[in-house]
Amino acid sequence: SYELTQPLSVSVALGQTARITCGGNNIGSKNVHWYQQKPGQAPVLVIYRDSNRPSGIPERFSGSNSGNTATLTIRGAQAGDEADYYCQVWDSSTGVFGTGTKVTVL
Amino acid sequence: QVQLQESGPGLVKPSETLSLTCTVSGGSISSNYWSWIRQPPGKGLECIGYIYYSGSTNYNPSLNSRVTISVDTSKNQFSLKLSSVTAADTAVYYCARTFTTRDAFDIWGQGTMVTVSS
């Protein structure tokens, strides 16, 4: 089965840039989606199809995808961005989520 | 605006069948793909499977033999049945929408906690 690997945690200073990676075999050939999940809440879509932001998601969230790594970038991180982040792809008609990354804003 | 709401028992006994329903409001279920996703306490997200409004389904191979997802378009609902549950099936269960099997889950329910315990 297809696997997506994310770092367990990422720390970022307030106002700085955080980068969260999502590794998978030839992930660049797939559409990657990213979700933000705060404690006790359902996930919220922040990036779809590699680099597109849904309505209402701040411009500081961006995404890229190439080769074996997709990346979610948060520029000018704010305290409210502290959350768990998951990447997701479809493989053989089954949804696959990454292992999840906890982002801490210092 | 489309909204999803899960409902069902919060406690299920081991070896029994977990049954949940997701009600779609603010729009018709008769388009798009409708999925079930779960998250054990303190752990990550796992896709259980999806149903297309026409009734075609796809299940996660790891759960395939125990899962049934069905749709009732007259009630604007779709449902999950997971048989022979164990403590490992204890999780928050979410329903979600996606336009195709390449797209993101753009709308999620709030989730419902199901505990498997005697």
Side-chain angles (χ1 to χ4, degrees):
Chain A
S1 61
Y2 195 79
E3 295 183 353
L4 295 173
T5 302
Q6 299 180 233
L8 195 58
S9 63
V10 167
S11 296
V12 58
L14 187 67
Q16 296 305 300
T17 298
R19 293 181 177 84
I20 306 160
T21 58
C22 176
N25 184 34
N26 197 25
I27 195 174
S29 67
K30 299 179 181 296
N31 291 319
V32 179
H33 318 294
W34 290 91
Y35 305 86
Q36 175 194 71
Q37 186 180 33
K38 296 181 179 180
Q41 297 183 20
V44 172
L45 179 66
V46 294
I47 292 290
Y48 66 96
R49 294 197 178 215
D50 298 342
S51 59
N52 297 279
R53 278 179 294 105
S55 174
I57 300 301
E59 291 183 10
R60 63 178 182 274
F61 288 88
S62 63
S64 62
N65 183 22
S66 178
N68 293 318
T69 305
T71 303
L72 174 67
T73 301
I74 309 173
R75 290 186 168 81
Q78 300 184 4
D81 298 332
E82 194 162 281
D84 293 329
Y85 290 83
Y86 294 90
C87 57
Q88 181 252 319
V89 300
W90 289 88
D91 181 71
S92 300
S93 297
T94 297
V96 178
F97 285 97
T99 50
T101 299
K102 181 175 181 58
V103 171
T104 301
V105 180
L106 304 172
Chain B
Q1 171 139 357
V2 174
Q3 293 184 311
L4 307 180
Q5 178 67 59
E6 305 89 349
S7 59
L11 181 64
V12 181
K13 289 182 168 57
S15 80
E16 295 190 345
T17 296
L18 178 160
S19 296
L20 296 174
T21 295
C22 182
T23 300
V24 180
S25 60
S28 174
I29 200 171
S30 296
S31 62
N32 304 316
Y33 290 78
W34 306 94
S35 293
W36 287 97
I37 297 160
R38 70 179 183 178
Q39 185 173 37
K43 297 187 178 181
L45 299 163
E46 179 184 37
C47 285
I48 298 170
Y50 67 77
I51 189 165
Y52 190 49
Y53 76 96
S54 63
S56 62
T57 57
N58 184 277
Y59 304 138
N60 187 320
S62 68
L63 299 167
N64 190 29
S65 62
R66 298 195 292 131
V67 175
T68 302
I69 299 176
S70 59
V71 64
D72 187 337
T73 54
S74 67
K75 294 182 178 179
N76 238 29
Q77 294 177 333
F78 63 105
S79 298
L80 168 70
K81 291 189 185 300
L82 182 65
S83 63
S84 305
V85 297
T86 69
D89 295 310
T90 294
V92 175
Y93 285 76
Y94 296 99
C95 56
R97 181 186 80 170
T98 183
F99 289 117
T100 74
T101 56
R102 293 185 305 279
D103 282 308
F105 299 107
D106 67 329
I107 298 176
W108 294 65
Q110 66 183 27
T112 187
M113 180 68 199
V114 178
T115 301
V116 178
S117 175
S118 55

PDB file of all heavy atoms in Angstrom, chain B residues 41-69:
ATOM      1  N   PRO B  41      -7.920   7.800  19.023  1.00  0.00           N
ATOM      2  CA  PRO B  41      -7.445   8.836  19.952  1.00  0.00           C
ATOM      3  C   PRO B  41      -5.932   9.017  19.886  1.00  0.00           C
ATOM      4  O   PRO B  41      -5.174   8.052  19.998  1.00  0.00           O
ATOM      5  CB  PRO B  41      -7.877   8.291  21.317  1.00  0.00           C
ATOM      6  CG  PRO B  41      -9.053   7.423  21.020  1.00  0.00           C
ATOM      7  CD  PRO B  41      -8.770   6.811  19.685  1.00  0.00           C
ATOM      8  N   GLY B  42      -5.505  10.248  19.653  1.00  0.00           N
ATOM      9  CA  GLY B  42      -4.089  10.571  19.621  1.00  0.00           C
ATOM     10  C   GLY B  42      -3.350  10.104  18.385  1.00  0.00           C
ATOM     11  O   GLY B  42      -2.116  10.212  18.332  1.00  0.00           O
ATOM     12  N   LYS B  43      -4.084   9.605  17.395  1.00  0.00           N
ATOM     13  CA  LYS B  43      -3.437   9.071  16.199  1.00  0.00           C
ATOM     14  C   LYS B  43      -3.882   9.810  14.938  1.00  0.00           C
ATOM     15  O   LYS B  43      -4.599  10.799  15.014  1.00  0.00           O
ATOM     16  CB  LYS B  43      -3.718   7.573  16.077  1.00  0.00           C
ATOM     17  CG  LYS B  43      -3.135   6.755  17.233  1.00  0.00           C
ATOM     18  CD  LYS B  43      -3.277   5.269  16.986  1.00  0.00           C
ATOM     19  CE  LYS B  43      -2.632   4.479  18.126  1.00  0.00           C
ATOM     20  NZ  LYS B  43      -2.727   3.014  17.895  1.00  0.00           N
ATOM     21  N   GLY B  44      -3.437   9.321  13.785  1.00  0.00           N
ATOM     22  CA  GLY B  44      -3.702   9.987  12.527  1.00  0.00           C
ATOM     23  C   GLY B  44      -5.015   9.556  11.883  1.00  0.00           C
ATOM     24  O   GLY B  44      -5.804   8.797  12.444  1.00  0.00           O
ATOM     25  N   LEU B  45      -5.215  10.085  10.675  1.00  0.00           N
ATOM     26  CA  LEU B  45      -6.454   9.870   9.939  1.00  0.00           C
ATOM     27  C   LEU B  45      -6.357   8.640   9.047  1.00  0.00           C
ATOM     28  O   LEU B  45      -5.314   8.370   8.456  1.00  0.00           O
ATOM     29  CB  LEU B  45      -6.740  11.107   9.072  1.00  0.00           C
ATOM     30  CG  LEU B  45      -6.933  12.416   9.841  1.00  0.00           C
ATOM     31  CD1 LEU B  45      -6.786  13.611   8.906  1.00  0.00           C
ATOM     32  CD2 LEU B  45      -8.291  12.439  10.514  1.00  0.00           C
ATOM     33  N   GLU B  46      -7.470   7.909   8.937  1.00  0.00           N
ATOM     34  CA  GLU B  46      -7.530   6.709   8.094  1.00  0.00           C
ATOM     35  C   GLU B  46      -8.816   6.717   7.281  1.00  0.00           C
ATOM     36  O   GLU B  46      -9.915   6.830   7.848  1.00  0.00           O
ATOM     37  CB  GLU B  46      -7.470   5.447   8.949  1.00  0.00           C
ATOM     38  CG  GLU B  46      -7.560   4.157   8.137  1.00  0.00           C
ATOM     39  CD  GLU B  46      -7.585   2.907   8.994  1.00  0.00           C
ATOM     40  OE1 GLU B  46      -8.201   2.939  10.077  1.00  0.00           O
ATOM     41  OE2 GLU B  46      -7.005   1.889   8.566  1.00  0.00           O
ATOM     42  N   CYS B  47      -8.684   6.584   5.984  1.00  0.00           N
ATOM     43  CA  CYS B  47      -9.864   6.486   5.123  1.00  0.00           C
ATOM     44  C   CYS B  47     -10.469   5.097   5.237  1.00  0.00           C
ATOM     45  O   CYS B  47      -9.763   4.096   5.121  1.00  0.00           O
ATOM     46  CB  CYS B  47      -9.492   6.746   3.672  1.00  0.00           C
ATOM     47  SG  CYS B  47      -9.185   8.464   3.285  1.00  0.00           S
ATOM     48  N   ILE B  48     -11.772   5.041   5.448  1.00  0.00           N
ATOM     49  CA  ILE B  48     -12.474   3.768   5.536  1.00  0.00           C
ATOM     50  C   ILE B  48     -13.019   3.365   4.172  1.00  0.00           C
ATOM     51  O   ILE B  48     -12.927   2.203   3.765  1.00  0.00           O
ATOM     52  CB  ILE B  48     -13.629   3.859   6.544  1.00  0.00           C
ATOM     53  CG1 ILE B  48     -13.080   4.175   7.943  1.00  0.00           C
ATOM     54  CG2 ILE B  48     -14.454   2.567   6.551  1.00  0.00           C
ATOM     55  CD1 ILE B  48     -14.157   4.520   8.955  1.00  0.00           C
ATOM     56  N   GLY B  49     -13.586   4.325   3.447  1.00  0.00           N
ATOM     57  CA  GLY B  49     -14.125   4.048   2.135  1.00  0.00           C
ATOM     58  C   GLY B  49     -15.076   5.133   1.701  1.00  0.00           C
ATOM     59  O   GLY B  49     -15.317   6.099   2.424  1.00  0.00           O
ATOM     60  N   TYR B  50     -15.597   4.970   0.473  1.00  0.00           N
ATOM     61  CA  TYR B  50     -16.519   5.973  -0.045  1.00  0.00           C
ATOM     62  C   TYR B  50     -17.642   5.309  -0.824  1.00  0.00           C
ATOM     63  O   TYR B  50     -17.554   4.129  -1.209  1.00  0.00           O
ATOM     64  CB  TYR B  50     -15.807   6.985  -0.930  1.00  0.00           C
ATOM     65  CG  TYR B  50     -15.262   6.421  -2.246  1.00  0.00           C
ATOM     66  CD1 TYR B  50     -16.107   6.162  -3.322  1.00  0.00           C
ATOM     67  CD2 TYR B  50     -13.905   6.198  -2.411  1.00  0.00           C
ATOM     68  CE1 TYR B  50     -15.612   5.654  -4.509  1.00  0.00           C
ATOM     69  CE2 TYR B  50     -13.397   5.692  -3.598  1.00  0.00           C
ATOM     70  CZ  TYR B  50     -14.252   5.428  -4.645  1.00  0.00           C
ATOM     71  OH  TYR B  50     -13.763   4.931  -5.825  1.00  0.00           O
ATOM     72  N   ILE B  51     -18.682   6.109  -1.044  1.00  0.00           N
ATOM     73  CA  ILE B  51     -19.780   5.695  -1.907  1.00  0.00           C
ATOM     74  C   ILE B  51     -20.106   6.828  -2.851  1.00  0.00           C
ATOM     75  O   ILE B  51     -20.079   8.002  -2.467  1.00  0.00           O
ATOM     76  CB  ILE B  51     -21.025   5.265  -1.079  1.00  0.00           C
ATOM     77  CG1 ILE B  51     -22.073   4.625  -1.990  1.00  0.00           C
ATOM     78  CG2 ILE B  51     -21.605   6.429  -0.274  1.00  0.00           C
ATOM     79  CD1 ILE B  51     -23.148   3.856  -1.225  1.00  0.00           C
ATOM     80  N   TYR B  52     -20.366   6.502  -4.095  1.00  0.00           N
ATOM     81  CA  TYR B  52     -20.865   7.476  -5.054  1.00  0.00           C
ATOM     82  C   TYR B  52     -22.386   7.485  -4.931  1.00  0.00           C
ATOM     83  O   TYR B  52     -22.979   6.478  -4.545  1.00  0.00           O
ATOM     84  CB  TYR B  52     -20.424   7.097  -6.462  1.00  0.00           C
ATOM     85  CG  TYR B  52     -20.657   8.135  -7.518  1.00  0.00           C
ATOM     86  CD1 TYR B  52     -20.262   9.451  -7.333  1.00  0.00           C
ATOM     87  CD2 TYR B  52     -21.268   7.800  -8.725  1.00  0.00           C
ATOM     88  CE1 TYR B  52     -20.465  10.405  -8.313  1.00  0.00           C
ATOM     89  CE2 TYR B  52     -21.481   8.743  -9.711  1.00  0.00           C
ATOM     90  CZ  TYR B  52     -21.092  10.046  -9.499  1.00  0.00           C
ATOM     91  OH  TYR B  52     -21.296  10.988 -10.467  1.00  0.00           O
ATOM     92  N   TYR B  53     -23.017   8.586  -5.247  1.00  0.00           N
ATOM     93  CA  TYR B  53     -24.456   8.685  -5.023  1.00  0.00           C
ATOM     94  C   TYR B  53     -25.234   7.594  -5.758  1.00  0.00           C
ATOM     95  O   TYR B  53     -26.323   7.193  -5.347  1.00  0.00           O
ATOM     96  CB  TYR B  53     -24.970  10.069  -5.425  1.00  0.00           C
ATOM     97  CG  TYR B  53     -25.105  10.278  -6.916  1.00  0.00           C
ATOM     98  CD1 TYR B  53     -26.319  10.097  -7.555  1.00  0.00           C
ATOM     99  CD2 TYR B  53     -24.007  10.647  -7.681  1.00  0.00           C
ATOM    100  CE1 TYR B  53     -26.443  10.287  -8.918  1.00  0.00           C
ATOM    101  CE2 TYR B  53     -24.112  10.837  -9.041  1.00  0.00           C
ATOM    102  CZ  TYR B  53     -25.331  10.655  -9.665  1.00  0.00           C
ATOM    103  OH  TYR B  53     -25.449  10.835 -11.012  1.00  0.00           O
ATOM    104  N   SER B  54     -24.650   7.079  -6.830  1.00  0.00           N
ATOM    105  CA  SER B  54     -25.321   6.023  -7.596  1.00  0.00           C
ATOM    106  C   SER B  54     -25.268   4.670  -6.868  1.00  0.00           C
ATOM    107  O   SER B  54     -25.974   3.731  -7.248  1.00  0.00           O
ATOM    108  CB  SER B  54     -24.658   5.889  -8.960  1.00  0.00           C
ATOM    109  OG  SER B  54     -23.298   5.493  -8.804  1.00  0.00           O
ATOM    110  N   GLY B  55     -24.390   4.592  -5.849  1.00  0.00           N
ATOM    111  CA  GLY B  55     -24.305   3.356  -5.077  1.00  0.00           C
ATOM    112  C   GLY B  55     -22.999   2.600  -5.213  1.00  0.00           C
ATOM    113  O   GLY B  55     -22.750   1.653  -4.456  1.00  0.00           O
ATOM    114  N   SER B  56     -22.143   2.990  -6.144  1.00  0.00           N
ATOM    115  CA  SER B  56     -20.857   2.292  -6.273  1.00  0.00           C
ATOM    116  C   SER B  56     -19.964   2.644  -5.091  1.00  0.00           C
ATOM    117  O   SER B  56     -19.980   3.772  -4.602  1.00  0.00           O
ATOM    118  CB  SER B  56     -20.179   2.636  -7.591  1.00  0.00           C
ATOM    119  OG  SER B  56     -19.896   4.010  -7.652  1.00  0.00           O
ATOM    120  N   THR B  57     -19.192   1.661  -4.640  1.00  0.00           N
ATOM    121  CA  THR B  57     -18.391   1.836  -3.428  1.00  0.00           C
ATOM    122  C   THR B  57     -16.945   1.415  -3.635  1.00  0.00           C
ATOM    123  O   THR B  57     -16.611   0.693  -4.581  1.00  0.00           O
ATOM    124  CB  THR B  57     -18.954   0.990  -2.272  1.00  0.00           C
ATOM    125  OG1 THR B  57     -19.007  -0.389  -2.686  1.00  0.00           O
ATOM    126  CG2 THR B  57     -20.346   1.450  -1.865  1.00  0.00           C
ATOM    127  N   ASN B  58     -16.093   1.884  -2.733  1.00  0.00           N
ATOM    128  CA  ASN B  58     -14.713   1.432  -2.658  1.00  0.00           C
ATOM    129  C   ASN B  58     -14.290   1.472  -1.208  1.00  0.00           C
ATOM    130  O   ASN B  58     -14.538   2.478  -0.527  1.00  0.00           O
ATOM    131  CB  ASN B  58     -13.798   2.318  -3.512  1.00  0.00           C
ATOM    132  CG  ASN B  58     -12.359   1.812  -3.523  1.00  0.00           C
ATOM    133  OD1 ASN B  58     -11.598   2.103  -2.619  1.00  0.00           O
ATOM    134  ND2 ASN B  58     -11.994   1.032  -4.514  1.00  0.00           N
ATOM    135  N   TYR B  59     -13.658   0.400  -0.746  1.00  0.00           N
ATOM    136  CA  TYR B  59     -13.276   0.316   0.657  1.00  0.00           C
ATOM    137  C   TYR B  59     -11.759   0.177   0.804  1.00  0.00           C
ATOM    138  O   TYR B  59     -11.088  -0.401  -0.051  1.00  0.00           O
ATOM    139  CB  TYR B  59     -13.958  -0.887   1.318  1.00  0.00           C
ATOM    140  CG  TYR B  59     -15.466  -0.900   1.212  1.00  0.00           C
ATOM    141  CD1 TYR B  59     -16.150  -2.080   0.916  1.00  0.00           C
ATOM    142  CD2 TYR B  59     -16.205   0.263   1.398  1.00  0.00           C
ATOM    143  CE1 TYR B  59     -17.535  -2.102   0.822  1.00  0.00           C
ATOM    144  CE2 TYR B  59     -17.588   0.250   1.291  1.00  0.00           C
ATOM    145  CZ  TYR B  59     -18.245  -0.936   1.003  1.00  0.00           C
ATOM    146  OH  TYR B  59     -19.612  -0.952   0.912  1.00  0.00           O
ATOM    147  N   ASN B  60     -11.254   0.674   1.919  1.00  0.00           N
ATOM    148  CA  ASN B  60      -9.850   0.483   2.257  1.00  0.00           C
ATOM    149  C   ASN B  60      -9.589  -1.028   2.366  1.00  0.00           C
ATOM    150  O   ASN B  60     -10.283  -1.712   3.115  1.00  0.00           O
ATOM    151  CB  ASN B  60      -9.539   1.190   3.579  1.00  0.00           C
ATOM    152  CG  ASN B  60      -8.068   1.191   3.916  1.00  0.00           C
ATOM    153  OD1 ASN B  60      -7.359   0.216   3.706  1.00  0.00           O
ATOM    154  ND2 ASN B  60      -7.607   2.312   4.461  1.00  0.00           N
ATOM    155  N   PRO B  61      -8.601  -1.526   1.657  1.00  0.00           N
ATOM    156  CA  PRO B  61      -8.338  -2.972   1.699  1.00  0.00           C
ATOM    157  C   PRO B  61      -8.117  -3.510   3.121  1.00  0.00           C
ATOM    158  O   PRO B  61      -8.445  -4.666   3.394  1.00  0.00           O
ATOM    159  CB  PRO B  61      -7.064  -3.113   0.855  1.00  0.00           C
ATOM    160  CG  PRO B  61      -7.125  -1.971  -0.099  1.00  0.00           C
ATOM    161  CD  PRO B  61      -7.726  -0.850   0.685  1.00  0.00           C
ATOM    162  N   SER B  62      -7.608  -2.671   4.005  1.00  0.00           N
ATOM    163  CA  SER B  62      -7.332  -3.139   5.372  1.00  0.00           C
ATOM    164  C   SER B  62      -8.614  -3.395   6.162  1.00  0.00           C
ATOM    165  O   SER B  62      -8.591  -4.079   7.183  1.00  0.00           O
ATOM    166  CB  SER B  62      -6.467  -2.109   6.111  1.00  0.00           C
ATOM    167  OG  SER B  62      -7.198  -0.925   6.340  1.00  0.00           O
ATOM    168  N   LEU B  63      -9.734  -2.861   5.685  1.00  0.00           N
ATOM    169  CA  LEU B  63     -11.018  -3.007   6.390  1.00  0.00           C
ATOM    170  C   LEU B  63     -12.077  -3.659   5.522  1.00  0.00           C
ATOM    171  O   LEU B  63     -13.203  -3.894   5.979  1.00  0.00           O
ATOM    172  CB  LEU B  63     -11.531  -1.635   6.837  1.00  0.00           C
ATOM    173  CG  LEU B  63     -10.654  -0.856   7.797  1.00  0.00           C
ATOM    174  CD1 LEU B  63     -11.139   0.597   7.892  1.00  0.00           C
ATOM    175  CD2 LEU B  63     -10.687  -1.500   9.172  1.00  0.00           C
ATOM    176  N   ASN B  64     -11.721  -3.947   4.280  1.00  0.00           N
ATOM    177  CA  ASN B  64     -12.668  -4.352   3.241  1.00  0.00           C
ATOM    178  C   ASN B  64     -13.670  -5.413   3.686  1.00  0.00           C
ATOM    179  O   ASN B  64     -14.868  -5.304   3.424  1.00  0.00           O
ATOM    180  CB  ASN B  64     -11.884  -4.856   2.034  1.00  0.00           C
ATOM    181  CG  ASN B  64     -12.766  -5.062   0.827  1.00  0.00           C
ATOM    182  OD1 ASN B  64     -13.783  -4.391   0.666  1.00  0.00           O
ATOM    183  ND2 ASN B  64     -12.397  -6.003  -0.022  1.00  0.00           N
ATOM    184  N   SER B  65     -13.213  -6.421   4.389  1.00  0.00           N
ATOM    185  CA  SER B  65     -14.096  -7.544   4.708  1.00  0.00           C
ATOM    186  C   SER B  65     -15.122  -7.205   5.784  1.00  0.00           C
ATOM    187  O   SER B  65     -16.087  -7.937   5.969  1.00  0.00           O
ATOM    188  CB  SER B  65     -13.258  -8.739   5.161  1.00  0.00           C
ATOM    189  OG  SER B  65     -12.537  -8.416   6.330  1.00  0.00           O
ATOM    190  N   ARG B  66     -14.936  -6.089   6.465  1.00  0.00           N
ATOM    191  CA  ARG B  66     -15.827  -5.752   7.584  1.00  0.00           C
ATOM    192  C   ARG B  66     -16.699  -4.520   7.309  1.00  0.00           C
ATOM    193  O   ARG B  66     -17.541  -4.184   8.132  1.00  0.00           O
ATOM    194  CB  ARG B  66     -15.013  -5.491   8.852  1.00  0.00           C
ATOM    195  CG  ARG B  66     -14.202  -6.679   9.333  1.00  0.00           C
ATOM    196  CD  ARG B  66     -13.727  -6.457  10.768  1.00  0.00           C
ATOM    197  NE  ARG B  66     -12.737  -5.394  10.890  1.00  0.00           N
ATOM    198  CZ  ARG B  66     -12.807  -4.412  11.786  1.00  0.00           C
ATOM    199  NH1 ARG B  66     -13.827  -4.329  12.614  1.00  0.00           N
ATOM    200  NH2 ARG B  66     -11.833  -3.512  11.855  1.00  0.00           N
ATOM    201  N   VAL B  67     -16.484  -3.859   6.186  1.00  0.00           N
ATOM    202  CA  VAL B  67     -17.118  -2.562   5.940  1.00  0.00           C
ATOM    203  C   VAL B  67     -18.236  -2.648   4.902  1.00  0.00           C
ATOM    204  O   VAL B  67     -18.093  -3.331   3.881  1.00  0.00           O
ATOM    205  CB  VAL B  67     -16.080  -1.535   5.447  1.00  0.00           C
ATOM    206  CG1 VAL B  67     -16.765  -0.210   5.067  1.00  0.00           C
ATOM    207  CG2 VAL B  67     -15.039  -1.293   6.513  1.00  0.00           C
ATOM    208  N   THR B  68     -19.321  -1.938   5.181  1.00  0.00           N
ATOM    209  CA  THR B  68     -20.369  -1.714   4.197  1.00  0.00           C
ATOM    210  C   THR B  68     -20.796  -0.253   4.286  1.00  0.00           C
ATOM    211  O   THR B  68     -21.114   0.237   5.368  1.00  0.00           O
ATOM    212  CB  THR B  68     -21.599  -2.598   4.442  1.00  0.00           C
ATOM    213  OG1 THR B  68     -21.216  -3.969   4.430  1.00  0.00           O
ATOM    214  CG2 THR B  68     -22.648  -2.360   3.358  1.00  0.00           C
ATOM    215  N   ILE B  69     -20.768   0.429   3.153  1.00  0.00           N
ATOM    216  CA  ILE B  69     -21.255   1.808   3.071  1.00  0.00           C
ATOM    217  C   ILE B  69     -22.431   1.823   2.110  1.00  0.00           C
ATOM    218  O   ILE B  69     -22.352   1.246   1.017  1.00  0.00           O
ATOM    219  CB  ILE B  69     -20.158   2.788   2.607  1.00  0.00           C
ATOM    220  CG1 ILE B  69     -18.989   2.780   3.606  1.00  0.00           C
ATOM    221  CG2 ILE B  69     -20.716   4.199   2.472  1.00  0.00           C
ATOM    222  CD1 ILE B  69     -17.799   3.647   3.184  1.00  0.00           C
TER     223      ILE B  69
END
